[in-house]
Amino acid sequence: MGAQASAAQVLEALEAQGRTLAVAESLTGGSVCAALVAVPGASRVVRGAVVAYATELKRTLLGVDDRLLTLDGAVHPDVARAMAEGVRSALGADVGLATTGVAGPDPVEGQPVGTVFVAVASARGTRVTELALSGSRDQVRASAVTALLDLAARLVVSEQI
């Protein structure tokens, strides 16, 4: 499914469930939130987003543990988990989405270009998926957006999250 179709599915399901959504983004730089708010009526579900591009902001705005960031770096499944959970708390949403990874052009913290972690969190739990994406910087970023929204659609529609 494409990003727009998945975004619409997520929003429709959350609205029907009476739930809200918040987004924490790193490598996608606001593209996940942009895909969501492109859907008419998104304001009924989307609370807001935090673009925590700098590692320090993951700690200060989203509550990612400093020790985790120091030991494992910002491109790590536990960082994606903490970002999704942190944005839920910070913005008072029922569901949190998060992206962290390496879009390129160079590796970061020993992680190759295309290494991406996406997360979906709610009171029901958190799901993190690792992606190994290829292509240009723009392609990696676009693929990360689509992958996260596809994952969120599956989990929200089935009420697993």
Side-chain angles (χ1 to χ4, degrees):
M1 199 178 322
Q4 283 308 123
S6 293
Q9 270 196 332
V10 168
L11 295 171
E12 181 180 317
L14 287 173
E15 184 174 10
Q17 296 164 11
R19 299 195 294 161
T20 58
L21 177 70
V23 183
E25 301 186 61
S26 186
L27 84 145
T28 51
S31 297
V32 173
C33 189
L36 289 162
V37 301
V39 177
S43 62
R44 293 189 294 268
V45 174
V46 177
R47 301 251 326 137
V50 173
V51 177
Y53 207 60
T55 299
E56 172 191 339
L57 297 179
K58 291 171 181 65
R59 179 180 51 79
T60 59
L61 296 177
L62 300 171
V64 178
D65 185 84
D66 188 50
R67 184 174 164 188
L68 172 63
L69 292 167
T70 301
L71 294 176
D72 296 315
V75 182
H76 191 275
D78 291 339
V79 172
R81 174 184 307 279
M83 289 174 65
E85 293 169 355
V87 80
R88 277 188 67 231
S89 176
L91 300 187
D94 299 300
V95 175
L97 306 182
T99 64
T100 188
V102 183
D106 300 313
V108 174
E109 299 170 345
Q111 297 284 355
V113 171
T115 302
V116 174
F117 296 95
V118 296
V120 182
S122 78
R124 297 174 181 155
T126 303
R127 183 81 54 91
V128 179
T129 299
E130 179 176 3
L131 306 168
L133 303 173
S134 60
S136 68
R137 177 177 167 77
D138 288 342
Q139 290 169 324
V140 168
R141 293 176 70 238
S143 294
V145 170
T146 300
L148 174 57
L149 291 172
D150 286 352
L151 175 64
R154 284 193 308 275
L155 295 173
V156 169
V157 168
S158 66
E159 297 189 41
Q160 295 178 46
I161 289 286

